Amino acid sequence: MGTAAASALAAALFLGAAQVPGAEAAGSGSAPKAADKGPVGWDTYRRLDRMPELGGGARTAQFSSFDRTGGNEDGFDGRYACLRQSAAGCVIAERSGAGEVGAIWFTRDEGDVRRTGRITIELDGEKVVDAPLQDLVDGKLGAPFVHPLVADADQTSGGVYIEVPMPFRESMRITTEHNPLFHHVSYRTFDDAEGITTFDPADPAQDVVDTLKAAGSADPKPAQPGAKTTSSQLDLAPGASQTLAASDTPGLLSALKLTLPQAPYVQAGSETDEGRAFGKDGSSTFTVKVDPANQGVRLSRRYDPMIGRQTASVTVDGQPAGQWGPSGAQGAGLWAEQSLDLPAALTAGKSRITVENAFVSSDLDVNEFRYRAESAVGGGHRLSDTVDVGDPADESAHGYRITGQTWEGVRTYDHALDEAQRAKLAAARKLLTGLRLRISFDGERTVDSPLGEFFGSGHAVAPVDSLMSGIDAPRSAFSSWWAMPYAENAEVQLYNGSDTAVTEGTAEVTAAPSKEHAAAVAAGTEGHFRTSSHAGPTTPGKDWSFLGAEGEGKFTGVSHTMTGALNRNFLEGDERSYADGSRTPEIHGTGSEDFYQSGWYFNRGAYSAPFNGNPAHLTPATGCPAERDCTGAYRLLIADAVPFTTGLDFGIEHGPTNDQQADYSSTAYWYGRAEKGAETTDTLVLGDEQSERQHGYTSADPGAVTPLDSRFEGDRTGAPRLTADTRAAKAAVTFSLAVDSGNGGVRLRRLADQREAGQRVAVSVDGVRLADWSQPLGNGERRWLEDVYQLPASVTAGKDSVEVTLTPAEGAPAWSAARYEALSLK
């Protein structure tokens, strides 16, 4: 079938499906009314059809162990892990008012978090979790704390996470018994507690667990009434486009599926093994069996080649026998092996030999995972014994000892591909990057992304079991289930930017008619589904941008394709998110693989899970260009989606301080509209007599006007310092701000000096007492901070001004401020 004919048939089928008799009526009521907070608690996963909802009633922020000075000390010694110490231990997150814990992540000790001890999660004054952290992430507490709502380091390649949404009405505190080193706590804040029920750990939410366990293989959204699927055969010449489906009936596009046999799955053999390493003045010793009739013994060592120039001397029964290395650095992801022929003078006539390996030199240390002894007998080599380093029973059986140990842990690495496999992989990669999925809604193209990256794997056809997309790698089948509403029309196209004609494969598009979704899009309470995709080299000193958007929207995830140095130091980069023009990042992470909820450069190898994954990792021996490392990852933000009302800048560093060259490609998933959902209606500048007088600023002890010259956390390289006047009030302050009378709530944004941690005030608006405004953060070096307090519509709607009173809490530091801005939500 020709391209034009296939396109015409697909369009006709899609139109017919959307216009079947009674379909419009069947779709009635399928979409819920918009809500400012969006789905909360278990509805976050039960009602994924509500993901397109927009609204200003929720914000997302994060506590983490990131280096407050702008360096790369993000948890290695735990310097910035604790907000404060309490009788229960290290407080890592604390919040007053209504909100919801969305995602928690930790790592240390190669992913073993036993030394963190117990974790306590208190919501509204009650302990909902009080258990050893390792038991929690291992699933020992039972539902709802079971996989994949929780995961240990084996399940998420070096990190551990908790993705149980836990709402609270008044307060939240998370404490670990001991300093946890690396951590993130992502949470949402709400402008009021209306409709919020405190999380109940006794609810197993088995339906949610079942949905998540089916991730990657089934649509996780509720069934859409009237949904119809149309199919077409793929037929694309190089440079051609094919329309897969089109409709002018308002509704919801709910599923896409493509099969692409010309992009085959090439599977590298992988293996997980435990190992150890020793450093300067260190050594390892073991005894192995050999054939007494040997004419020498070949000793082989499996090692991790990411550490370069490993050199160690070898002795047999105390006599010099040779040397390991020096090895060349090959990058992580591929097992390496060296062999050393031990002379017969040291082995002949013996049934056992004792081998000692002693450190000579290395870029770091000398590692070992397995030894194999083969006896030279009858002109060949015959396996006599193996030593499995890291296996306690096997080590004991071979008398294994190590001194000067610098590391112990696990690695999951691949074995090299042959020439035919590499050719198939190259052909598949060409199509994954050259084919582009293009989707238009209501006359605007909102999706234009590389096919592989859109579905979660840009480097290779690899298994993806994401909640919102899946790749059935053996079948080369790609599926997506994002909810995509539109008011009037939709069109789905596939463009072939490769030099290969696509002559095989199928496409399926599923859509449902819905007046409710169409009306919500038209009213601006739902946004169009969008992607932002770009590729190229990283820029020194500048974050790689996942999304730079203006208007109102919600960031819900990213698929990221990275090619860089073999040592993978580009993964040291932290993610940073700035919403609505804030100069302080609401999200500031600790490393790239940490953002993807893994750890230690994905030390358990490739994997895929509902919220996160490292589906593909290639080295030169497995398909990456020479001297380069190819890493692919994805992360969905569902319970911790990042809403914005005027714009969002979400990016990630490449290297510790944006100093590692790499070639990146990324596809951000988000919902949005061009119109802004808020506007700044007034600003009070402290220290400015006229501004203070105009806003009725009064206090019995407002604090002296004091200039501050400092920086913000998360400042980009070369960002200018800010100098402004501040006040540190020790008594209640009162002031008025102009707001839009048609507002749906107001954001009160403060610019302040955060040198003193733990600032807290009671908040009243026009005499109505609200939740406290608390700020547990502190930074004596990068002192500028912008934070936000959400005033609910119940105290602001219909007014053109509000009077705000802030009363410092007893025992808290003076309340600092340089300015207050009122952002009126539309």
Side-chain angles (χ1 to χ4, degrees):
M1 181 182 294
T3 301
S7 301
L9 177 59
L13 288 171
F14 192 79
L15 286 165
Q19 295 176 344
V20 294
E24 187 171 303
S28 179
S30 62
K33 67 182 182 66
D36 279 347
K37 298 179 181 68
V40 177
W42 293 122
D43 279 352
T44 304
Y45 300 132
R46 287 174 175 147
R47 296 304 308 272
L48 291 165
D49 56 326
R50 293 179 57 188
M51 286 185 68
E53 290 180 10
L54 307 178
R59 296 179 66 252
T60 296
Q62 181 190 76
F63 293 105
S64 84
S65 58
F66 77 92
D67 189 334
R68 303 299 193 268
T69 70
N72 196 43
E73 176 42 70
D74 293 320
F76 292 101
D77 65 8
R79 191 180 316 168
Y80 306 105
C82 305
L83 297 173
R84 60 183 179 87
Q85 290 287 340
S86 72
C90 169
V91 177
I92 62 171
E94 197 165 25
R95 178 73 188 182
S96 296
E100 179 177 49
V101 178
I104 308 173
W105 167 90
F106 297 94
T107 198
R108 66 180 304 156
D109 302 339
E110 299 285 321
D112 181 343
V113 295
R114 286 176 294 179
R115 291 204 291 169
T116 295
R118 302 183 73 84
I119 180 172
T120 304
I121 302 176
E122 299 171 85
L123 305 178
D124 299 332
E126 299 291 331
K127 292 182 180 179
V128 297
V129 172
D130 185 2
L133 176 60
Q134 189 68 62
D135 286 355
L136 173 61
V137 299
D138 286 343
K140 293 182 179 179
L141 273 63
F145 297 102
V146 294
H147 190 259
L149 284 165
V150 302
D152 62 25
D154 290 333
Q155 294 162 326
T156 191
S157 201
V160 305
Y161 72 68
I162 305 159
E163 285 270 5
V164 175
M166 294 180 273
F168 53 92
R169 294 177 56 84
E170 298 175 354
S171 64
M172 171 270 288
R173 181 186 300 120
I174 301 176
T175 307
T176 56
E177 182 180 2
H178 306 298
N179 190 310
L181 304 186
F182 297 88
H183 76 270
H184 306 159
V185 177
S186 299
Y187 64 100
R188 295 199 294 161
T189 63
F190 304 136
D191 57 7
D192 58 39
E194 183 179 353
I196 302 300
T197 300
T198 306
F199 170 72
D200 179 6
D203 179 0
Q206 191 59 50
D207 61 319
V208 173
V209 174
D210 292 342
T211 295
L212 294 175
K213 286 183 175 180
S217 62
D219 189 342
K221 304 188 303 298
Q224 303 298 306
K228 298 292 183 182
T229 300
T230 62
S231 302
S232 57
Q233 297 292 318
L234 297 182
D235 184 5
L236 287 105
S241 294
Q242 180 176 346
T243 297
L244 307 180
S247 174
D248 59 4
T249 298
L252 182 79
L253 195 157
S254 62
L256 304 172
K257 183 175 182 179
L258 299 174
T259 60
L260 197 64
Q262 290 172 256
Y265 175 40
V266 180
Q267 185 175 19
S270 65
E271 187 174 353
T272 299
D273 204 355
E274 297 172 322
R276 301 181 187 272
F278 53 84
K280 185 179 180 181
D281 299 325
S283 65
S284 69
T285 305
F286 55 85
T287 298
V288 289
K289 293 181 292 185
V290 296
D291 189 325
N294 75 79
Q295 287 86 48
V297 173
R298 177 166 294 168
L299 186 66
S300 298
R301 159 184 169 250
R302 173 188 288 176
Y303 69 99
D304 174 0
M306 187 174 73
I307 308 302
R309 293 180 289 199
Q310 300 177 48
T311 305
S313 63
V314 180
T315 61
V316 173
D317 295 328
Q319 299 299 310
Q323 181 174 279
W324 298 119
S327 63
Q330 299 178 27
L334 191 72
W335 289 116
E337 188 170 285
Q338 292 176 319
S339 293
L340 179 65
D341 286 329
L342 308 178
L346 300 178
T347 64
K350 298 179 180 179
S351 60
R352 292 178 181 272
I353 58 173
T354 298
V355 177
E356 181 178 14
N357 309 290
F359 182 91
V360 174
S361 62
S362 170
D363 287 347
L364 182 62
D365 50 23
V366 174
N367 62 69
E368 51 191 9
F369 289 79
R370 184 167 300 200
Y371 288 95
R372 188 174 67 251
E374 298 172 288
S375 299
V377 179
H381 285 85
R382 183 182 305 160
L383 180 64
S384 300
D385 205 355
T386 60
V387 181
D388 188 356
V389 178
D391 182 314
D394 205 56
E395 288 182 343
S396 177
H398 291 88
Y400 176 89
R401 301 185 307 278
I402 187 169
T403 62
Q405 179 169 295
T406 55
W407 172 85
E408 65 175 316
V410 298
R411 291 288 183 264
T412 301
Y413 285 163
D414 293 333
H415 300 287
L417 297 178
D418 62 30
E419 187 173 342
Q421 289 175 312
R422 291 170 61 84
K424 289 182 179 180
L425 179 60
R429 293 185 71 188
K430 186 182 298 185
L431 289 177
L432 292 180
T433 57
L435 292 174
R436 296 185 72 89
L437 184 66
R438 293 175 171 174
I439 309 177
S440 299
F441 297 111
D442 301 324
E444 178 189 3
R445 179 176 289 170
T446 65
V447 174
D448 186 353
S449 301
L451 183 139
E453 203 166 80
F454 179 87
F455 289 97
S457 180
H459 276 307
V461 177
V464 172
D465 294 314
S466 160
L467 186 61
M468 304 311 298
S469 63
I471 298 179
D472 181 347
R475 297 180 57 245
S476 295
F478 304 77
S479 300
S480 171
W481 301 286
W482 293 99
M484 306 182 189
Y486 50 96
E488 296 180 357
N489 52 65
E491 183 179 36
V492 182
Q493 291 185 324
L494 189 63
Y495 167 74
N496 187 0
S498 77
D499 59 4
T500 301
V502 177
T503 57
E504 300 177 72
T506 60
E508 297 178 356
V509 181
T510 301
S514 171
K515 288 183 177 180
E516 286 73 20
H517 278 295
V521 171
T525 56
E526 287 187 359
H528 286 130
F529 176 76
R530 301 171 182 269
T531 62
S532 291
S533 300
H534 69 118
T538 57
T539 301
K542 185 177 181 181
D543 288 6
W544 176 265
S545 177
F546 287 149
L547 178 62
E550 293 187 357
E552 185 175 20
K554 180 194 299 181
F555 179 91
T556 56
V558 65
S559 177
H560 189 187
T561 308
M562 299 162 269
T563 302
L566 283 171
N567 61 18
R568 305 179 91 185
N569 281 349
F570 54 88
L571 290 173
E572 291 295 325
D574 305 342
E575 79 277 10
R576 300 192 281 211
S577 171
Y578 303 79
D580 303 329
S582 174
R583 288 172 285 186
T584 294
E586 293 87 357
I587 293 173
H588 194 313
T590 59
S592 299
E593 79 275 27
D594 303 354
F595 171 60
Y596 296 106
Q597 297 183 301
S598 300
W600 311 107
Y601 293 3
F602 303 105
N603 68 355
R604 307 298 204 270
Y607 75 101
S608 182
F611 309 109
N612 55 315
N614 168 217
H617 178 218
L618 309 178
T619 65
T622 55
C624 196
E627 302 301 321
R628 303 287 272 174
D629 175 276
C630 295
T631 294
Y634 66 84
R635 167 81 185 276
L636 300 187
L637 291 86
I638 307 297
D640 51 347
V642 182
F644 54 95
T645 56
T646 63
L648 182 69
D649 181 2
F650 199 129
I652 195 165
E653 295 175 297
H654 45 96
T657 54
N658 279 327
D659 54 355
Q660 298 293 306
Q661 190 283 325
D663 294 302
Y664 278 5
S665 177
S666 63
T667 292
Y669 311 110
W670 60 292
Y671 292 91
R673 63 191 191 109
E675 295 78 12
K676 294 183 177 181
E679 63 175 341
T680 301
T681 49
D682 204 358
T683 302
L684 162 62
V685 180
L686 298 186
D688 183 313
E689 292 183 5
Q690 181 178 359
S691 183
E692 290 184 351
R693 184 171 56 254
Q694 289 175 341
H695 293 89
Y697 181 86
T698 60
S699 175
D701 188 359
V705 176
T706 305
L708 173 61
D709 176 34
S710 191
R711 296 185 182 277
F712 290 90
E713 293 171 348
D715 265 353
R716 276 75 165 180
T717 302
R721 299 171 69 90
L722 173 66
T723 301
D725 290 333
T726 67
R727 288 186 182 273
K730 296 181 180 179
V733 297
T734 298
F735 54 88
S736 295
L737 292 171
V739 299
D740 187 327
S741 61
N743 75 78
V746 174
R747 300 268 176 85
L748 185 59
R749 183 156 64 193
R750 172 183 69 138
L751 172 64
D753 179 358
Q754 63 168 331
R755 181 180 60 179
E756 298 293 333
Q759 298 179 37
R760 186 185 188 102
V761 291
V763 180
S764 296
V765 175
D766 293 329
V768 178
R769 179 75 163 85
L770 302 176
D772 286 0
W773 186 348
S774 63
Q775 181 50 266
L777 297 176
N779 192 331
E781 182 167 331
R782 298 195 172 204
R783 291 167 56 178
W784 283 121
L785 169 78
E786 283 190 323
D787 63 347
V788 170
Y789 186 90
Q790 295 157 260
L791 305 180
S794 59
V795 298
T796 63
K799 300 177 181 179
D800 56 16
S801 70
V802 293
E803 184 181 78
V804 179
T805 299
L806 306 176
T807 305
E810 184 177 353
W815 181 255
S816 173
R819 63 191 291 160
Y820 293 97
E821 293 177 88
L823 286 78
S824 296
L825 302 178
K826 296 181 180 180

